[in-house]
């Protein structure tokens, strides 16, 4: 079949949802969250069903096109698209079905966390995800997933019960502890390497209203606050979560005007324990005399979407990550320096705690090997203006160079740019070999290679 005939057949099946260069809406359809990525796919197939996914996949394979899978499109290096290839865009597949009695949610592969949080909150339930709710369920989950509920309830993958997957050969399978357990193992951290996940089933936990918000200090306090944070948080009950942030204070309420556009350090908190204990829990934080105290009670989805407005689609992003067992004093000093040099208002550095429940899962139980580290760091140069792209990259790389020597030598796969095989192998550590064996079984031709790629064994 010629390329044109094949596109005609795919159009016959998916209708207007097959978008080609020159079509109205092509530029909008190819745009990712990261405005720095400017790729031009040959075909974008917006899939609304498992059947659409299978048709698009068959089309891409028969035409010999490189195939990218797009969930929420938030990936930093832009693996949700590909120059001259096929994008399987799952965004129309965003249904969320909650079984409140069983405390599970079945979520289609193109949903965002905002859609999940909205549906589960109606039942007073939630599952761990990230801290920006426009992020896709697909990429975040398949890479691991950490956020406000992680110290108490683990990574997102630790709450994955099953996944429905269209494999490279077009077969639809369910992966769980009992069905295709090797595939189920690989999906829990191995990224989009093994197939197109058309639905995820998650375990849910009772979470409704949380005590949350930022406490912030001037940038000059970074060394003191960070060294306190690094020792304080791991010693607290798992109901208390807080990530450390280097930031520029946005010029909006409720931040006091005198603090607007000042460089600052902050901890963004989420406490899911007994509200009657909140004052006692936060007393040590308040003793540090934050310049801004934004703590208060809020519905969990409100916390989840706090940063959505600050980080809309289309900003320029360049990020670098690393895992840390602790933040030694020499690294603290480097942070204090680079916080003062934040290049733009949106640029930031976050240190997320990944202790607690994360560490109750063994190193080889899922592909996420670094269960013994305590922190996952990301340095993100961010700005609306493409003219600042090089400045963002240089600041992020210089900052990363300064702290990397104190790291555990690997990073969270979802906080990596396109940094090469060595970094991919480092992140999976002892699990890389098994991942590549599962890859050889389910995708021997490496059809799914637009990702942090795991090479098929042999
Ligand atoms: C503003 C922002 C905040 C973030 N905060 C956090 C955070 O708090 N915690 C955290 O853990 N991560 C966080 N991340 C990182 C995030 O997890 C990754 O960027 C992730 O790749 C996004 O997933 P996505 O589906 O939106 O991306 P996409 O670009 O659509 O996909 C990312 C990768 O996953 C694959 N993929 C996506 N969906 C599927 C699917 N259904 N089946 C098979 N493969 C699929 C794609 O092929 C691609 O390789 C954040 C990212 C951003 C931009």
């Amino acid at each position: 079949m010629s390329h044109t005939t094949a596109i005609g057949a795919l159009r016959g099946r998916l209708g207007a949802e097959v978008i080609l260069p020159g079509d109205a809406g092509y530029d909008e359809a190819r745009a990712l969250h990261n405005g720095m990525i400017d790729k031009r796919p040959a075909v974008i197939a917006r899939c609304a069903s498992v059947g659409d996914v299978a048709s698009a996949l068959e089309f891409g394979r028969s035409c010999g096109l490189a195939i990218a899978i797009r969930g929420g499109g938030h990936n930093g290096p832009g693996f949700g698209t590909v120059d001259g290839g096929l994008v399987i865009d799952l965004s129309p597949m965003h249904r969320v079905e909650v079984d409140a009695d069983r405390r599970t949610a079945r979520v289609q592969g193109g949903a965002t966390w905002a859609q999940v949080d909205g549906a589960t909150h109606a039942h007073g339930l939630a599952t761990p995800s990230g801290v920006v709710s426009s992020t896709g369920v697909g990429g975040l989950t398949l890479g691991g997933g950490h956020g406000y509920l992680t110290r108490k309830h683990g990574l997102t993958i630790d709450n994955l019960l099953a996944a429905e997957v269209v494999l490279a050969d077009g077969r639809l399978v369910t992966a769980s502890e009992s069905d295709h357990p090797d595939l189920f193992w690989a999906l829990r951290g191995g990224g989009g390497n093994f197939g197109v996940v058309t639905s995820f089933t998650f375990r849910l936990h009772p979470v409704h209203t949380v005590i949350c918000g930022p406490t912030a200090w001037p940038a000059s306090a970074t060394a003191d606050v960070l060294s306190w944070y690094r020792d304080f948080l791991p010693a607290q009950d798992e109901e208390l979560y807080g990530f450390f942030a280097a930031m520029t204070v946005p010029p909006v309420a409720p931040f006091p005007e005198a603090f607007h556009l000042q460089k600052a350090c902050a901890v963004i908190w989420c406490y899911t324990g007994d509200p009657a204990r909140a004052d006692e829990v936060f007393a040590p934080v308040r003793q540090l005399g934050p310049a801004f105290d934004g703590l208060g009670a809020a519905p969990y989805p409100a916390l989840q979407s706090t940063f959505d407005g600050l980080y809309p689609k289309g900003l320029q992003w360049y990020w670098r990550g690393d895992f840390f067992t602790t933040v030694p004093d020499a690294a603290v000093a480097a942070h204090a320096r680079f916080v003062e040099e934040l290049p733009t208002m949106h640029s930031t550095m976050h240190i997320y705690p990944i202790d607690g429940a994360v560490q109750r899962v063994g190193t080889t139980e899922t592909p996420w090997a670094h269960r013994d580290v305590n922190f996952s760091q990301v340095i993100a140069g961010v700005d609306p203006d493409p003219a600042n792209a090089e400045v963002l990259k240089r600041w992020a790389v210089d900052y990363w160079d300064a702290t990397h020597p104190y790291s555990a030598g690997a990073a969270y796969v979802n906080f990596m740019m396109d940094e090469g095989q060595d970094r991919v192998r480092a992140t999976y550590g002892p699990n890389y070999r098994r991942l590549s064996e599962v890859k050889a079984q389910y995708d021997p031709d490496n059809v799914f290679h637009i990702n942090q790629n795991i090479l098929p064994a042999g």
Side-chain angles (χ1 to χ4, degrees):
M1 208 192 306
S2 76
H3 191 78
T4 319
T5 319
I7 287 182
L10 188 65
R11 274 211 152 124
R13 171 88 213 226
L14 271 65
E17 297 302 330
V18 176
I19 303 163
L20 306 179
D23 285 352
Y26 173 75
D27 282 332
E28 196 189 323
R30 73 186 178 89
L32 297 179
H33 190 77
N34 184 358
M36 210 180 271
I37 312 293
D38 182 25
K39 294 193 177 161
R40 305 186 69 83
V43 183
I44 300 168
R46 285 205 166 131
C47 298
S49 67
V50 170
D52 287 356
V53 171
S55 301
L57 186 56
E58 188 191 355
F59 159 81
R61 290 205 69 176
S62 66
C63 294
L65 293 174
I67 297 171
I69 310 164
R70 186 182 312 168
H74 267 225
N75 182 258
F79 290 141
T81 191
V82 55
D83 265 330
L86 166 70
V87 174
I88 296 182
D89 178 353
L90 301 171
S91 57
M93 298 179 70
H94 52 72
R95 205 172 52 243
V96 180
E97 293 159 8
V98 178
D99 185 331
D101 293 335
R102 292 204 168 131
R103 290 191 180 163
T104 61
R106 188 163 181 274
V107 180
Q108 283 191 309
T112 63
W113 285 106
Q115 288 156 339
V116 177
D117 293 335
T120 60
H121 185 68
H123 303 277
L125 299 168
T127 202
S129 61
V131 303
V132 173
S133 75
S134 55
T135 308
V137 172
L140 182 136
T141 301
L142 295 168
H146 56 62
Y148 293 113
L149 303 180
T150 286
R151 292 192 77 225
K152 176 119 172 97
H153 297 299
L155 300 170
T156 308
I157 48 172
D158 300 336
N159 294 278
L160 184 65
L161 299 173
E164 190 185 64
V165 191
V166 178
L167 300 175
D169 63 9
R171 274 182 302 147
L172 176 68
V173 299
T174 298
S176 67
E177 289 289 2
S178 52
D179 291 332
H180 297 278
D182 47 355
L183 177 61
F184 184 56
W185 176 84
L187 291 173
R188 285 174 292 162
N193 272 282
F194 303 94
V196 185
V197 179
T198 49
S199 84
F200 299 89
T201 302
F202 295 106
R203 183 187 300 117
L204 305 175
H205 306 274
V207 178
H208 190 274
T209 301
V210 296
I211 313 289
C212 62
T215 49
W217 296 260
S220 55
T222 298
D224 288 343
V225 177
L226 180 52
S227 40
W228 166 83
Y229 165 86
R230 136 202 103 185
D231 298 330
F232 171 77
L233 192 69
Q236 305 309 303
D237 288 351
E238 292 166 9
E239 275 105 9
L240 182 65
Y241 177 98
F243 75 85
F244 183 90
M247 61 186 279
T248 303
V249 178
V252 290
F255 293 106
E257 258 178 53
F259 213 14
H260 286 183
L261 296 175
Q262 301 297 306
K263 293 188 168 86
C265 67
V267 181
I268 291 81
W269 300 99
C270 174
Y271 173 63
T272 52
D274 178 0
R277 285 197 55 231
D279 282 344
E280 178 195 335
V281 166
F282 286 111
V285 182
R286 289 182 164 134
Q287 267 164 24
L288 284 184
F292 174 69
D293 179 343
L295 287 165
Y300 180 68
L303 170 64
Q304 284 284 92
S305 55
T306 303
F307 296 105
D308 291 13
L310 185 63
Y311 292 112
K313 185 173 176 176
L315 303 181
Q316 307 280 305
W317 285 78
Y318 188 87
W319 67 43
R320 284 291 184 93
D322 262 326
F323 288 131
F324 290 82
T325 302
T326 185
V327 188
D329 290 345
V332 168
H335 284 290
R337 182 155 50 93
F338 278 91
V339 171
E340 299 281 3
E341 293 171 12
L342 281 160
T344 60
M345 191 199 81
H346 293 85
S347 295
T348 190
M349 186 286 304
H350 292 172
I351 297 177
Y352 298 98
I354 46 170
D355 58 339
V358 179
Q359 299 180 346
R360 288 196 286 277
V361 178
T363 300
T364 58
E365 278 182 65
T366 69
W368 177 289
H370 292 273
R371 295 280 182 171
D372 53 346
V373 300
N374 291 311
F375 301 107
S376 171
Q377 173 180 303
V378 68
I379 298 162
V382 192
D383 194 60
D385 187 353
N388 281 334
E390 286 311 312
V391 174
L392 303 176
K393 276 189 202 170
R394 199 170 50 245
W395 172 78
V397 171
D398 287 351
Y399 194 161
W400 184 86
D401 283 344
T403 56
H404 179 67
Y406 311 104
S407 75
Y412 173 30
V413 75
N414 276 347
F415 286 165
M416 281 161 36
M417 295 306 271
D418 199 353
E419 297 170 37
Q421 259 303 293
D422 286 351
R423 286 282 277 170
V424 177
R425 283 171 191 262
T427 201
Y428 293 119
N431 294 322
Y432 188 88
R433 179 196 282 268
R434 182 172 172 199
L435 281 166
S436 79
E437 283 162 6
V438 179
K439 176 82 171 172
Q441 196 184 337
Y442 287 94
D443 183 18
D445 301 326
N446 207 1
V447 169
F448 303 114
H449 64 273
I450 310 294
N451 45 39
Q452 302 290 359
N453 199 222
I454 293 158
L455 298 171

